[in-house]
Amino acid sequence: DKGPYPYYMLKEIDEQPNVMRKLASLYTEESGKPNVDAELINAMKQADRLYIVGAGTSYHAGLVGKKLFEKLAHVPTEVHIASEFAYENPLLSKKPFFIFLSQSGETADSREVLVNVNAHNYESLTITNVENSTLFREATYTMLLHAGPEISVASTKAYTAQIGVEAILAKALGEAKEQTIAEEFDIRQQLGLVATGMQAIIDEKDTIDDLAKKYFVPANRAFYIGRGIDQTVSLESALKLKEISYVQAEGFASGELKHGTIALIEEGTPVIGIITQKRTANLTRSNLQETESRGAATFTIVRKGLAEKDDTLVIPDVNELITPLLSVVPAQLIAYFTSLNKGLDVDRPRNLAKSVTVE
Ligand code: F6R
């Protein structure tokens, strides 16, 4: 039941702060220690490389996971698009461990990989929102997202829940491997900050509605740009906009734009810079400037600690490792309001189904 909400998508965006609190209370202890299956952590600790597999938004959550596992647990991590992995036979390390990300737990492309993984007796973990789904049943280990049913075709709370679970898991694995950075990373406190931060962004929805009406509804093309972890969020942000508003959007590494794609910038093309990382903030700002001087209408989604006078949307400060949990929320809302203001069916975009059960 969507209650007072016109669309499930808005309800599901609104539920994200509570999902973060729920993950903190279910998967961490009051002391801040992760509360994760010890056998799972032990199995992951034996691995020399992690292989994350997913499709669409879940793949994008995997890209964030790579940063978390590499930084907090110091384990090399590859992220694969499920439909590619299944037929590419990538070279594996000596002791691989597989992580499947899937909201529905039914994505055929991901399942095809898991069937192969099981045939080789490799160990795996499925992180899913649906208990007893196919990917849940067939993996060695499981963790639930506890996000509640996601009805809208465009995935929102599953993405942030997947990143939340990955952060907890990376913290637990990093601690088991005695990584100082993991020991010092207070995931429970951070998830609390994220929950409050998400709420603050959601409370600004009218501003985002205005932006959508003015700049995104008339656009036929848009770009999200960023570096590092912000680049991964740019991919997810663009996917959201494409799938429900039909604005052709691309997520891009901000430094790569000038190597060709900048030719697409015209008068008024919206370009949104995602800026949450201190090391690369100024670089992305100058890349934005390059598009502005070619006529782009530029906007910023900036972490508070890095904000400047003319920034468009300022998001609260959290640890730089988990900024996607906040920076994606304005992008979800931009997609929502663009679709809504175009009079489209937000929850049921054309040509799409909630779970893709064919390869
Ligand atoms: C985008 C979206 C899809 C799914 C993808 C994988 O908003 O919902 O890209 O993320 O089809 O689905 P799951 O996570 O169920 O495996």
Side-chain angles (χ1 to χ4, degrees):
D1 179 23
K2 42 185 198 302
Y5 292 94
Y7 286 102
Y8 280 105
M9 185 181 179
L10 189 61
K11 175 173 183 270
E12 290 161 4
I13 290 172
D14 267 14
E15 284 169 349
Q16 293 178 109
N18 274 338
V19 175
M20 293 299 116
R21 290 188 195 103
K22 192 156 180 193
L23 291 178
S25 77
L26 288 172
Y27 289 126
T28 68
E29 290 166 13
E30 256 168 64
S31 64
K33 282 252 165 268
N35 175 16
V36 180
D37 180 4
E39 255 180 70
L40 163 64
I41 297 303
N42 200 38
M44 291 178 74
K45 208 177 146 185
Q46 311 301 315
D48 61 359
R49 188 172 287 254
L50 304 179
Y51 292 81
I52 302 179
V53 179
T57 291
S58 293
Y59 167 71
H60 294 156
L63 296 174
V64 178
K66 171 183 166 75
K67 313 269 179 203
L68 292 166
F69 288 115
E70 293 195 337
K71 294 236 163 71
L72 291 171
H74 210 75
V75 51
T77 304
E78 293 181 18
V79 196
H80 290 268
I81 293 174
S83 61
E84 285 292 299
F85 195 100
Y87 299 98
E88 279 289 288
N89 297 323
L91 276 182
L92 296 179
S93 64
K94 283 209 181 72
K95 199 88 182 66
F97 184 92
F98 288 83
I99 300 176
F100 290 85
L101 293 177
S102 177
Q103 189 285 130
S104 63
E106 299 297 346
T107 298
D109 289 323
S110 301
R111 182 179 183 232
E112 184 63 24
V113 183
L114 180 51
V115 167
N116 255 300
V117 161
N118 284 339
H120 288 88
N121 288 315
Y122 294 131
E123 290 200 291
S124 60
L125 161 69
T126 284
I127 300 175
T128 181
N129 205 24
V130 182
E131 194 164 9
N132 286 323
S133 56
T134 307
L135 289 161
F136 180 98
R137 282 185 274 109
E138 295 180 353
T140 326
Y141 302 94
T142 55
M143 282 179 84
L144 284 171
L145 296 174
H146 295 290
E150 193 182 64
I151 310 288
S152 180
V153 162
S155 181
T156 52
K157 61 179 178 173
Y159 173 79
T160 47
Q162 283 170 338
I163 295 170
V165 169
E166 287 175 316
I168 293 163
L169 197 54
K171 150 92 175 168
L173 182 59
E175 278 193 347
K177 295 178 69 184
E178 290 171 11
Q179 299 293 312
T180 316
I181 178 167
E183 284 159 0
E184 289 171 353
F185 180 60
D186 189 342
I187 182 64
R188 187 177 170 98
Q189 183 219 18
Q190 286 294 320
L191 288 173
L193 291 175
V194 165
T196 322
M198 284 172 159
Q199 193 57 56
I201 298 165
I202 292 167
D203 291 343
E204 294 290 314
K205 28 168 125 57
D206 291 348
T207 313
I208 298 176
D209 187 7
D210 290 343
L211 273 183
K213 276 198 200 92
K214 197 159 165 208
Y215 299 99
F216 292 83
V217 169
N220 48 24
R221 159 188 314 141
F223 291 90
Y224 278 93
I225 64 171
R227 288 178 184 239
I229 207 166
D230 294 333
Q231 189 247 336
T232 74
V233 179
S234 81
L235 298 175
E236 173 58 10
S237 302
L239 177 59
K240 286 290 89 86
L241 191 61
K242 281 185 274 200
E243 68 181 325
I244 60 168
S245 80
Y246 315 146
V247 174
Q248 181 157 19
E250 274 194 75
F252 234 83
S254 60
E256 184 67 3
L257 211 61
K258 59 183 175 298
H259 295 285
T261 307
I262 200 164
L264 290 171
I265 302 293
E266 294 173 310
E267 202 57 41
T269 305
V271 181
I272 305 105
I274 302 176
I275 302 171
T276 67
Q277 308 292 305
K278 192 160 184 222
R279 260 184 69 199
T280 53
N282 287 336
L283 289 166
T284 296
R285 285 189 189 282
S286 47
N287 298 136
L288 263 183
Q289 194 55 50
E290 288 158 10
T291 69
E292 196 172 303
S293 64
R294 272 106 180 151
T298 60
F299 308 92
T300 47
I301 296 172
V302 184
R303 182 167 69 72
K304 190 162 178 234
L306 302 171
E308 294 177 1
K309 195 165 83 354
D310 292 329
D311 281 319
T312 326
L313 300 164
V314 178
I315 60 173
D317 279 317
V318 288
N319 188 300
E320 286 200 353
L321 288 170
I322 52 163
T323 54
L325 293 171
L326 292 182
S327 56
V328 78
V329 179
Q332 294 170 340
L333 288 165
I334 287 172
Y336 174 80
F337 284 114
T338 304
S339 176
L340 188 76
N341 287 309
K342 285 175 101 166
L344 301 169
D345 185 340
V346 176
D347 286 338
R348 296 209 258 157
R350 67 189 180 204
N351 310 343
L352 289 168
K354 182 63 183 163
S355 88
V356 185
T357 52
V358 292
E359 278 182 58

